[in-house]
């Protein structure tokens, strides 16, 4: 087996084009930036069909040039990916990767086609497809979500096992053929091997599952905590607000990294502190949903109890299963449905703990604003209870900023998870999560770049995608 | 900056402005022409969304990214503004054309002292030195009649009251002695008495500086008081232009006529001149009908003729001074015929007393020091001072007063959101003054309900209309199942004359008037017997106001509701109320039957209020009373009579009584009480404020 080049046979055609296009594009962008400093007011005129056209000499020309060249570069990148997916390793490493991601491409394509087709019926989600930035962000985020699903659930994308080592593959460069590969096994380490001779590509792909599972869930829990405490703080104000805000400030002022180190210290774990924190933090979703339903159906007891039972019983069972663990401080509940890895529990608890005060502050501010509205006064004058007003009159109207913040916060959480992994906190040492892999790759960074870069780029792209998605959502939600 | 140009200051000729969205072109202004001569004030009147502000922005060439002038010319002193470069425009804006916006606080930089902001104008436009600029600023601030100009120049915007801020904005606009002043609803955010003073000032300054004015307003009365000429706009088009006298007295367009018929005039009797609402809704800019835009709502509409052509041209009316109408049939319509199909309805007689207030007091304690509250001295704000009145079944009691007079506090106490400090509220002879809303039983809550002022705020934007009404029904324990409640909800929609299909709509899909109707339906969900209506129509367009007012009165007739109508608009109060209560700084200064309150003897404050209301009727002669200064803060009320700081009758009271004692409540006639020190002889000499000139 020959080692793979980056672009294989595809490169002989496309690479020369790439080498011409990219510098051209760079020059055009530079020229555009320089020219824009001397730009006069560009007149624009209306066409009969209702569109606007800007007119104005060299400035418009440079603008158009940047646009067209940018499109061309984009088309070229697409060509690499599409032909790669078809040709596989014949198109080099890029082709191999693109082919491995085939299920993700198909899923993305379906998502986009369906969403754009029905975008007028899909509310805020549909409006996202009116914004280019939002679409790009959504695309990147969904790429990683699908990758995580196909890897974690269907075991599709990864080419090798993320933990198994292959002899002679230690620190090998990308595209190295697997020595003594068996029949049916993938023949190459697409992105090379790390210093324990594991496949970097597969580890990167598996790393996504860790992030995609923990980050949104932890953020969701942080939101539950923040909303359940922030609403009364903003609505009632006074001493309650003072007390809760002080607590929030206290948590925010505590050095985060130190907190994490403390939480994973074996002595602290032995005292059961992370578990007790989980007991407190995990109870908030139950409070939230319980109050939510009761406030709404207070006047109809029959429905009230039915819905409460439907929602609260499963929640309570999962809550008890989550906090109960054999051999730990909390070990009395008989129906333990599942166990959470104690390392993951620590990560989860600490991420929720440091994120919820910020959410608390946002919700409190929104509640302070919205409680002055007339519809809140109308609810008060018809004798609604405070929690109904908070959860059904105030919260739905604060959803815009909260959804945007939710996206941004998943991004922060992703970085936080990366940081935790990097310091080796919480997750097991051989775990393929991106933070740990970056840390391992870092040790030989001056000699071998390839083990550290892919997880770093993966982390970067996911967070970038989330930020772009948040931008798109904000833009579209403001437009209404 | 004076030059020798003598032609018209502003000539707008067949102007068309469009906004471009991703979906379509939206024409905001079409075929609009107006000319402003030197020293002339032209009023631009129309309902919201008719394009009047767009015209102003067009003149300023500030239409934003997606707005475009797609046809016509705007000439300022003979020069075409459309053809000017950005630099030339920058020179003109602020120095030759100045604009005054609705919200004064938004026009001032909160981080910059007033003096500095004013001085910028001559320093930028005329290259004046700092000394010259300061002198000029001082002079202009004196001109706009602000007390203690030096202190004002040295203060920040938030240290001034709303009225003072608007005066500063006017001063800033006048700094460069512009030839044209554009005022975009300059007094909408102000109280009536303050508004009257500002309008007076604008008029005076216009004469003093010889400035031409383009006055944009939705209030016909204001335009009558300030302008020489008027241009009525409807749905992006000017429908009638002409001199004030021509348009007000000899209107030649059905829309103008409908507009006048839908506003109450305090001089007219409600039985002789009932309000006539304009049927239908304002067309959306991209759904305008062919031909005449007003056609679908017009009484004189003739199919095939009024919608037969693409656009109706403006036609000159012979014999009048530059009087134009955009109507094909103006020659054929009998403009003096009384409105058709108007039925006068019997007013039901007030029944037994349902609500009684007795010496109600509400004080708030405010910590003098916010950070270490409790340790320092506390201040007492007397929001309501000895409020006593009775309200009967199917009676309308109007509560009149400006911001800070305590009417909202009173409403809160009545609703149970606050508890009274002293005195009692009797609802059906039960004391409710110290029962907070949580402790009230469902029936009491359902009996006393409220309709709110701002239609855009009164409905929860993320809940469908039907859901919100059904929620009220649930809370009031109405009906046993969702199906029953849904039926009841649909019945309520019928009651407020909304189509049943609206049940599934979201509030953002409704117009302001429709939202207000939903708010009314929600208030009546529990069969309310007492409804507090807090300025329910003041935020609506005039043509919608009439319809909503009529609706309220009709429901009242049917359900024998007691209506507590809070308002500052005396025209509408006179139109619909049986009794009137005038409040000032927490005190009831006058209370009596509508006729008693609206005719002398008045309380001096009532007199000023009446004089301040702009009336859109050229036949009305008003006594001119302008109150000096602003309403004192409730935190720091004046000693003695609350109104003494602004009262013009104060000198008539001997012994400085006004400074010392709060006046006692005096009965003047059966059911007519006022709180004033003035002697009976003085009161007897008062002249009526509003007189209708003999024809």
């Amino acid at each position: 087996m020959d080692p793979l080049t980056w672009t294989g046979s595809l490169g002989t055609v496309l690479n020369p084009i790439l080498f011409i296009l990219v510098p051209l594009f760079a020059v055009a962008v530079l020229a555009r930036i320089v020219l824009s400093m001397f730009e006069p007011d560009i007149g624009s005129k209306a066409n009969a069909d209702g569109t606007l056209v800007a007119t104005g000499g060299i400035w418009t020309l440079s603008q158009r040039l940047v646009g067209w060249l940018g499109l061309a570069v984009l088309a070229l990148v697409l060509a690499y990916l599409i032909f790669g997916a078809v040709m596989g390793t014949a198109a080099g490493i890029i082709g191999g990767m693109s082919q491995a991601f085939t299920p993700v491409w198909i899923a993305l394509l379906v998502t986009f086609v369906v969403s754009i087709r029905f975008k007028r019926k899909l509310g805020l989600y549909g409006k996202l497809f009116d914004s280019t930035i939002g679409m790009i962000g959504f695309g990147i985020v969904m790429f990683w979500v699908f990758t995580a699903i196909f890897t974690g659930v269907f075991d599709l994308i990864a080419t090798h096992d993320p933990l198994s080592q292959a002899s002679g593959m230690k620190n090998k460069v990308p595209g190295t053929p697997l020595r003594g590969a068996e029949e049916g096994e993938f023949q190459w380490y697409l992105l090379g091997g790390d210093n324990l001779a594991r496949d970097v590509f597969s580890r990167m792909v598996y790393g996504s599952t860790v992030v995609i599972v923990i980050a949104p869930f932890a953020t969701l829990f942080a939101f539950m905590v923040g909303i359940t405490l922030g609403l009364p703080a903003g609505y009632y104000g006074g001493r309650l607000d003072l007390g809760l805000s002080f607590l929030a400030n206290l948590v925010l002022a505590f050095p985060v990294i130190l907190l994490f180190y403390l939480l994973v210290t074996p002595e602290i774990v032995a005292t059961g502190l992370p578990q007790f924190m989980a007991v407190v933090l995990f109870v908030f979703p139950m409070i939230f949903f319980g109050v939510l339903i009761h406030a709404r159906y207070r006047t109809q007891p029959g429905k009230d109890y039915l819905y409460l039972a439907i929602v609260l019983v499963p929640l309570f069972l999962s809550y008890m299963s989550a906090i109960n663990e054999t051999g730990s401080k909390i070990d009395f509940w008989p129906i333990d449905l599942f166990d959470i890895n104690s390392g993951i529990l620590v990560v989860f608890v600490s991420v929720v703990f440091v994120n919820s005060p910020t959410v608390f502050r946002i919700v409190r501010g929104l509640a302070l604003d919205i409680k002055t509205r007339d519809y809140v006064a109308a609810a008060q004058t018809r004798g609604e209870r405070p929690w109904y007003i908070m959860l059904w009159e105030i919260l739905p109207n604060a959803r815009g900023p909260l959804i945007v913040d939710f996206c941004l916060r998943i991004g922060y959480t992703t970085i936080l998870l990366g940081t935790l992994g990097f310091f080796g906190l919480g997750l097991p040492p051989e775990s393929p999560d991106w933070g740990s892999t970056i840390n391992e790759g870092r040790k030989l960074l001056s000699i071998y770049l390839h083990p550290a870069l892919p997880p770093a780029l993966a982390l970067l792209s996911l967070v970038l995608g989330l930020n772009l998605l948040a931008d798109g959502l904000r833009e579209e939600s403001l437009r209404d | 900056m004076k030059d020798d140009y003598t032609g018209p200051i502003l000539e707008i000729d067949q102007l068309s402005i469009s906004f471009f969205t991703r979906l379509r072109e939206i024409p905001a202004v079409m075929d609009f022409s107006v000319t402003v001569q030197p020293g002339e004030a032209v009023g631009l009147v129309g309902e919201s969304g008719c394009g009047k502000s767009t015209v102003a922005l067009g003149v300023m060439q500030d239409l934003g990214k997606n707005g475009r002038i797609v046809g016509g010319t705007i000439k300022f002193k003979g020069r075409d503004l459309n053809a000017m470069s950005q630099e030339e425009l920058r020179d003109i804006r602020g120095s030759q054309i100045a604009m005054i916006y609705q919200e004064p606080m938004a026009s001032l930089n909160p981080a910059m002292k007033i003096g500095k902001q004013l001085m910028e104008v001559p320093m930028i436009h005329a290259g004046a030195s700092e000394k010259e600029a300061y002198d000029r600023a001082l002079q202009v601030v004196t001109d706009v009649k602000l007390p203690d100009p030096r202190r004002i120049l040295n203060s920040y915007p938030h240290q001034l009251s709303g009225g003072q801020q608007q005066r500063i904005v006017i001063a800033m606009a006048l700094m460069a002695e512009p030839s044209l002043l554009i005022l975009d609803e300059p007094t909408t955010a102000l109280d009536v008495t303050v508004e009257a003073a500002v309008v007076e000032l604008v008029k005076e300054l216009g004469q003093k500086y010889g400035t031409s004015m383009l006055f944009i307003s939705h209030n016909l009365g204001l335009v009558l008081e300030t302008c020489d000429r008027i241009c009525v706009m409807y749905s992006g088009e000017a429908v009638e232009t002409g001199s004030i006298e021509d348009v007000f007295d000899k209107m030649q367009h059905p829309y103008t006529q409908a507009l006048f018929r839908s506003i109450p005039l305090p001089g007219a009797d409600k039985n002789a001149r009932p309000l006539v609402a304009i049927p239908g809704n304002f067309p959306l800019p991209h759904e305008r009908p062919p031909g005449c835009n007003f056609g679908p709502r017009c009484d004189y509409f003739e199919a095939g003729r009024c919608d037969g052509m693409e656009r109706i041209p403006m036609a000159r009316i012979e014999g009048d001074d530059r009087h134009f109408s955009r109507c094909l049939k103006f020659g054929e319509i009998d403009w003096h015929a009384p409105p058709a199909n108007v039925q006068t309805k019997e007013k039901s007689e007030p029944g037994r007393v349902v609500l009684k207030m007795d010496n109600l007091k509400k004080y708030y304690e405010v910590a003098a020091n916010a950070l270490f509250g409790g340790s320092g001295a506390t201040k007492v704000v007397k929001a309501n001072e000895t409020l006593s009145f009775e309200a009967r079944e199917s009676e309308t009691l109007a509560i009149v007063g400006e911001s800070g007079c305590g009417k909202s506090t009173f409403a809160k106490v009545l609703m149970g959101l606050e508890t009274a400090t002293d005195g009692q509220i009797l609802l059906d002879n039960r004391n409710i003054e110290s029962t907070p809303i949580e402790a009230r039983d469902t029936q009491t809550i359902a009996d006393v309900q409220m309709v709110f002022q701002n239609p855009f705020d009164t409905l929860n934007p993320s809940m469908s209309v039907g859901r919100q009404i059904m929620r009220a029904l649930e809370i009031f324990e109405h009906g046993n199942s969702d199906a029953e409640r849904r039926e009841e909800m649909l019945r309520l929609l019928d009651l407020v004359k909304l189509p049943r299909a609206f049940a599934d709509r979201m509030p953002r899909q409704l117009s302001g008037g429709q939202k207000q109707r939903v708010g009314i339906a929600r208030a009546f969900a529990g069969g309310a017997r007492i409804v507090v209506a807090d300025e329910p129509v003041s935020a609506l367009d005039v043509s919608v106001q009439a319809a909503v007012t009529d609706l309220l009165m009709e429901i009242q007739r049917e359900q024998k509701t007691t209506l507590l109508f809070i308002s500052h608009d005396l025209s509408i109060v006179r139109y619909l109320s049986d009794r009137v209560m005038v409040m000032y700084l927490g005190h009831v200064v006058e209370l009596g039957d509508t006729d008693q309150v609206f005719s002398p003897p008045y309380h001096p404050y009532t007199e000023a209020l009446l004089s301040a209301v702009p009336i859109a009727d050229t036949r009305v002669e008003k006594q001119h009373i302008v109150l000096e200064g602003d309403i004192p803060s409730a935190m720091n009320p004046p000693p003695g009579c609350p109104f003494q700081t602004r009262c013009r009758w104060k000198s008539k009271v001997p012994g400085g009584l006004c400074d010392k004692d709060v006046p006692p409540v005096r009965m003047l006639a059966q059911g007519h009480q006022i709180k004033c020190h003035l002697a009976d002889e003085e009161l007897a000499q008062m002249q009526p404020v509003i007189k209708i000139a003999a024809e």
Side-chain angles (χ1 to χ4, degrees):
Chain A
M1 274 301 157
D2 295 326
L4 290 176
T5 58
W6 280 99
T7 48
S9 56
L10 196 60
T12 50
V13 189
L14 293 181
N15 285 1
I17 309 179
L18 186 76
F19 290 135
I20 299 167
L21 265 181
V22 170
L24 263 181
F25 181 58
V27 169
V29 169
L30 205 67
R32 170 86 196 122
I33 292 170
V34 173
L35 278 173
S36 67
M37 292 176 188
F38 310 101
E39 188 166 289
D41 300 314
I42 290 182
S44 44
K45 71 177 201 324
N47 284 347
D49 58 355
T51 53
L52 276 182
V53 166
T55 49
I58 187 162
W59 289 276
T60 320
L61 186 71
S62 67
Q63 212 172 344
R64 282 206 197 135
L65 208 61
V66 170
W68 285 112
L69 284 174
L71 270 184
V73 172
L74 197 71
L76 196 65
V77 171
L78 273 180
Y80 273 116
L81 291 179
I82 293 169
F83 285 113
V86 177
M87 293 159 65
T89 44
I93 298 170
I94 290 178
M97 285 199 290
S98 184
Q99 197 169 42
F101 279 121
T102 307
V104 176
W105 301 137
I106 294 170
L108 271 182
L109 200 68
V110 171
T111 315
F112 269 77
V113 168
V114 172
S115 304
I116 292 177
R117 178 89 177 71
F118 298 105
K119 69 177 172 184
R120 294 278 162 246
K121 290 179 192 159
L122 291 171
L124 183 62
Y125 169 75
K127 277 199 201 135
L128 191 62
F129 293 87
D130 285 337
S131 140
T132 320
I133 298 269
M135 273 206 284
I136 295 173
F138 182 71
I140 300 175
V141 172
M142 287 320 284
F143 172 82
W144 286 113
V145 171
F146 286 133
T147 304
I149 292 174
F150 286 122
T151 318
V153 183
F154 304 107
D155 199 14
L156 272 178
I157 291 159
T159 50
H160 297 90
D161 182 71
L163 300 181
S164 66
Q165 303 167 332
S167 68
M169 294 308 287
K170 183 175 171 183
N171 290 330
K172 283 289 182 284
V173 292
T176 310
L178 190 61
R179 194 180 299 169
E182 288 162 29
E183 195 65 28
E185 200 178 6
F186 198 73
Q187 305 285 324
W188 291 273
Y189 268 14
L190 280 171
L191 290 175
D194 65 4
N195 65 342
L196 288 174
R198 297 171 297 197
D199 182 24
V200 172
F201 175 73
S202 302
R203 285 179 69 75
M204 176 190 79
V205 168
Y206 266 97
S208 68
T209 56
V210 180
V211 171
I212 293 296
V213 169
I214 296 184
F217 265 101
T219 314
L220 196 67
F221 272 72
F223 263 74
M224 297 277 178
V225 177
I227 288 172
T228 318
L229 296 178
L231 281 176
Y235 183 73
Y236 288 114
R239 296 236 162 95
L240 179 75
D241 182 21
L242 214 63
L244 287 174
S245 296
F246 180 75
L247 267 182
N249 287 335
L250 210 62
V251 176
L252 283 175
F254 203 83
V256 178
I257 293 295
L258 181 64
L259 184 78
F260 290 153
Y261 269 105
L262 275 178
L263 283 178
V264 293
T265 315
E267 288 78 9
I268 300 268
V269 175
T271 63
L273 180 69
Q275 247 181 322
F276 291 126
M277 282 173 72
V279 169
V280 175
L281 293 176
F282 287 1
V283 88
F284 278 97
M286 275 200 295
I287 299 179
F288 178 81
F289 283 111
V291 175
L292 187 78
I293 292 168
H294 182 65
R296 170 77 179 72
Y297 293 105
R298 175 171 65 88
T299 48
Q300 304 163 55
K303 268 190 195 170
D304 190 13
Y305 296 139
L306 177 69
Y307 290 148
L308 277 179
I310 291 176
V311 172
L312 286 191
V313 169
L315 270 184
F316 181 73
L317 286 177
S318 5
Y319 170 72
M320 288 315 289
S321 310
I323 59 165
N324 190 65
E325 199 182 330
T326 345
S328 72
K329 288 270 172 189
I330 302 169
D331 182 11
F332 64 93
W333 188 250
I335 336 166
D336 200 347
L337 299 171
F338 55 87
D339 270 328
I340 297 179
N341 178 312
S342 70
I344 295 211
L345 186 76
V346 169
V347 171
F348 205 90
V349 165
S350 30
V351 167
V352 172
F353 188 67
V354 299
N355 267 320
S356 39
T358 331
V359 180
F360 163 83
R361 289 222 252 183
I362 296 170
V363 175
R364 174 183 167 272
L366 289 167
L368 274 178
D369 171 27
I370 297 176
K371 77 168 176 181
T372 59
R373 301 295 169 87
D374 277 351
Y375 51 82
V376 172
Q380 286 169 338
T381 54
R382 66 170 185 261
E384 297 281 10
R385 298 291 181 261
W387 276 104
Y388 175 86
I389 297 176
M390 282 185 244
L391 289 170
W392 290 92
E393 303 278 345
I394 295 180
L395 187 61
N397 297 303
R399 67 181 188 275
L402 286 183
I403 291 172
V404 172
D405 184 71
F406 187 71
C407 289
L408 285 177
R409 202 154 293 283
I410 297 178
Y412 304 151
T413 312
T414 309
I415 293 180
L416 206 56
L417 287 175
T419 316
L420 290 180
F422 188 84
F423 288 120
L425 298 177
L427 301 165
E430 76 282 359
S431 148
D433 74 286
W434 293 338
S436 312
T437 14
I438 294 172
N439 187 35
E440 277 169 41
R442 170 189 67 91
K443 293 165 188 158
L444 293 170
L445 201 62
S446 52
I447 317 167
Y448 303 111
L449 266 178
H450 66 268
L453 269 188
L457 289 177
L459 187 68
L460 178 145
S461 64
L462 177 57
V463 177
L464 178 73
L466 284 162
N467 289 357
L468 293 181
L469 178 63
D471 267 359
L473 283 173
R474 172 164 39 215
E475 199 181 299
E476 290 305 318
S477 65
L478 282 182
R479 208 175 279 252
D480 196 18
Chain B
M1 276 278 172
K2 293 283 165 212
D3 50 15
D4 304 329
Y5 183 76
T6 50
I9 295 291
L10 183 73
E11 283 174 279
I12 301 178
D13 189 33
Q14 301 194 334
L15 177 72
S16 294
I17 298 175
S18 285
F19 289 96
F20 295 88
T21 66
R22 274 181 290 194
L23 293 178
R24 58 173 81 82
E25 172 185 354
I26 295 175
V29 174
M30 293 164 302
D31 187 21
F32 178 85
S33 306
V34 78
T35 308
V36 184
Q37 299 290 349
E40 201 175 49
V42 175
L44 214 52
V45 190
E47 296 172 82
S48 52
C50 73
K52 51 193 195 302
S53 293
T54 310
V55 169
L57 292 174
V59 173
M60 293 301 263
Q61 297 282 320
D62 181 22
L63 289 165
K65 236 186 155 128
N66 46 7
R68 270 306 116 198
I69 292 172
V70 290
T73 53
I74 307 175
K75 280 191 184 146
F76 175 71
K77 293 189 176 173
R79 299 164 67 200
D80 191 351
L81 288 172
N82 292 350
M84 280 190 197
S85 72
Q86 288 295 330
E87 258 152 72
E88 288 173 291
L89 284 171
R90 263 197 289 276
D91 275 347
I92 286 185
R93 290 182 194 141
S95 73
Q96 303 211 41
I97 306 180
M99 189 149 173
I100 294 170
Y101 295 91
Q102 181 170 353
E103 199 59 60
M105 194 58 202
S107 314
L108 295 171
N109 182 345
M112 218 170 164
K113 284 187 177 167
I114 299 284
K116 232 170 161 199
Q117 298 191 43
L118 289 176
M119 282 155 64
E120 265 190 343
V121 180
M123 284 166 79
I124 289 172
H125 284 295
S129 72
E130 204 156 319
K131 176 82 186 61
E132 288 165 12
Y134 184 80
D135 292 342
R136 175 94 185 107
L138 203 60
Q139 190 212 329
V140 174
V141 172
T142 319
D143 276 355
V144 293
K145 294 183 185 159
L146 281 169
D148 201 355
R150 278 176 202 281
R151 185 184 59 82
I152 296 263
L153 284 183
N154 203 29
S155 47
Y156 286 99
H158 68 266
Q159 294 169 313
L160 309 179
S161 71
Q164 287 175 328
Q165 283 172 4
Q166 195 62 296
R167 281 166 195 261
I168 290 296
V169 175
I170 293 171
M172 195 186 285
L174 292 173
M175 280 299 280
E177 297 192 20
S179 319
L180 177 66
L181 193 58
I182 302 175
L183 301 106
D184 190 353
E185 307 250 4
T187 55
T188 311
L190 305 176
D191 273 316
V192 225
T193 54
V194 181
E195 170 184 84
V198 169
V199 165
E200 177 82 10
L201 174 78
V202 167
K203 243 162 78 180
E204 229 172 79
L205 291 175
Q207 275 153 12
K208 181 174 171 188
Y209 287 88
T211 314
S212 305
M213 280 191 273
L214 194 60
F215 193 98
I216 298 171
S217 179
H218 64 274
N219 190 329
L220 284 165
L222 264 186
V223 170
L224 169 68
E225 286 186 6
T226 46
C227 298
D228 310 308
R229 298 180 59 77
I230 180 174
C231 171
V232 183
M233 287 187 77
Y234 179 78
S235 191
E237 292 176 328
V239 292
E240 186 166 2
T241 59
S243 65
I244 291 282
E245 292 75 28
D246 287 342
V247 175
F248 274 64
D249 298 339
K250 297 186 282 178
M251 58 198 73
Q252 295 291 326
H253 194 280
Y255 175 65
T256 319
Q257 189 189 39
L259 208 55
F260 276 99
R261 282 184 176 166
S262 64
I263 52 174
L265 298 178
D269 182 28
K270 61 180 155 191
N271 293 323
R273 192 183 170 288
L275 291 192
V276 186
I278 306 179
N281 280 318
F282 203 78
L284 291 174
H286 53 274
E287 290 169 359
R288 293 192 178 113
C292 180
N293 281 342
F294 188 60
R297 302 172 73 185
C298 182
D299 291 339
Y300 310 103
F301 181 73
E302 197 179 311
R305 184 167 165 206
C306 292
D307 56 5
M309 60 173 82
E310 183 69 20
R311 186 164 290 168
I312 314 284
M314 281 296 244
R316 190 184 189 102
I317 286 131
E318 296 303 325
D320 289 346
D321 170 36
R322 289 178 287 148
H323 188 180
F324 295 89
S325 167
R326 196 184 288 277
C327 181
L328 290 174
K329 301 177 66 181
F330 70 83
E332 304 156 27
I333 296 170
D334 176 11
W335 293 103
H336 297 287
N341 59 48
V342 172
Q343 61 262 60
T344 38
K345 279 156 191 152
E346 277 303 301
K347 184 92 186 75
S348 50
E349 278 304 302
R352 66 193 174 87
V353 175
V354 282
L355 182 72
K356 187 171 156 61
M357 299 269 164
D358 195 16
N359 278 322
L360 183 76
K361 286 182 189 165
K362 177 67 192 170
Y363 295 171
Y364 289 100
E365 285 200 356
V366 182
N369 184 331
L371 193 58
F372 302 104
S375 61
T378 52
K379 260 185 172 173
V380 174
V381 175
K382 298 179 177 177
N384 283 151
E385 186 72 83
T386 55
L387 217 60
S388 301
F389 67 87
E390 286 175 352
R392 293 165 187 278
E393 195 173 56
S394 67
E395 179 186 52
T396 307
L397 175 67
I399 301 169
V400 180
E402 295 171 272
S403 55
C405 74
K407 48 192 184 181
S408 314
T409 306
F410 153 73
K412 273 187 188 162
V413 175
L414 176 61
M415 306 301 299
L417 299 180
E418 307 265 0
T419 50
T421 312
D422 195 17
Q424 45 184 345
I425 305 176
L426 293 167
L427 176 70
D428 297 330
N429 288 324
R430 279 182 299 128
N431 282 65
I432 56 165
E433 73 277 354
S434 50
T435 325
I437 191 148
E438 300 89 51
R440 291 188 181 182
D441 59 81
T442 315
Q443 194 49 47
T444 314
I445 294 174
D447 276 350
V448 190
Q449 278 296 300
M450 194 157 170
V451 176
F452 292 87
Q453 175 176 12
N454 187 348
F456 299 95
D457 220 24
T458 183
L459 299 181
N460 183 344
S462 37
M463 214 188 263
S464 75
V465 166
R467 253 277 17 100
Q468 303 202 33
I469 299 176
M470 275 166 73
R471 177 66 194 178
L473 290 170
E474 272 171 29
I475 280 294
F476 297 144
E477 290 165 8
H478 208 291
N480 295 320
S481 65
D482 276 350
E484 261 177 60
R485 277 187 287 267
R486 190 170 171 83
E487 202 44 51
E488 177 65 16
M489 179 265 291
L490 293 173
R491 200 191 59 75
L492 281 166
L493 283 181
D494 294 343
L495 178 74
V496 294
K497 304 203 172 83
L498 284 176
R500 289 188 165 204
F502 274 33
D504 299 318
R505 296 226 185 149
M506 296 306 273
R508 65 165 185 280
Q509 296 167 295
L510 271 57
S511 71
Q514 289 164 344
K515 283 184 202 176
Q516 208 58 319
R517 283 166 192 264
V518 177
I520 293 171
R522 188 177 58 187
F524 280 94
R529 292 190 299 136
I530 298 172
V531 169
V532 181
D534 186 0
E535 310 233 8
V537 296
S538 68
L540 300 175
D541 279 316
V542 271
S543 69
V544 185
Q545 276 188 7
V548 174
T549 311
D550 272 347
L551 173 73
L552 264 178
M553 292 172 68
E554 200 179 313
I555 297 179
Q556 181 186 29
R557 268 194 300 274
E558 277 170 24
Q559 316 223 344
K560 295 196 183 311
T561 320
T562 307
L563 200 59
L564 298 181
F565 192 87
I566 299 177
S567 179
H568 67 264
D569 183 352
L570 287 169
S571 316
I572 212 150
V573 164
R574 168 134 208 198
Y575 177 70
L576 59 75
S577 62
D578 302 307
R579 286 196 302 145
V580 180
M581 181 165 99
V582 183
M583 287 182 76
Y584 188 79
L585 276 187
H587 293 261
V588 177
V589 294
E590 185 164 0
L591 172 66
D593 289 349
T594 309
D595 290 337
Q596 288 171 336
V597 173
F598 277 78
S599 55
Y602 309 108
H603 184 278
Y605 176 61
T606 316
E607 186 189 28
L609 261 185
L610 274 172
S611 159
V613 177
I615 299 167
D617 191 342
T618 48
R619 292 170 302 143
V620 166
E621 276 175 23
K622 273 199 316 188
Q623 206 182 334
H624 222 72
I625 304 160
V626 170
L627 290 182
E628 296 300 324
D630 287 312
I631 303 168
S633 152
M635 291 275 279
N636 191 13
C641 173
F643 189 58
Q644 52 123 327
T645 51
R646 303 166 80 194
C647 184
R648 66 175 191 138
W649 294 86
K650 192 178 160 190
S651 57
K652 302 271 170 68
V653 177
L657 215 53
C658 298
D659 292 325
K660 279 184 285 185
D661 298 325
V662 177
V665 176
R666 289 161 56 191
M667 297 299 281
L668 292 182
Q670 178 61 37
H672 186 200
Q673 62 177 58
I674 74 170
K675 224 179 207 178
C676 188
H677 285 302
L678 274 178
D680 285 338
E681 305 83 72
E682 301 287 352
L683 287 173
Q685 279 173 21
M686 280 191 172
Q687 296 296 313
V689 176
I690 299 169
K691 271 185 286 194
I692 297 176
E695 287 197 36

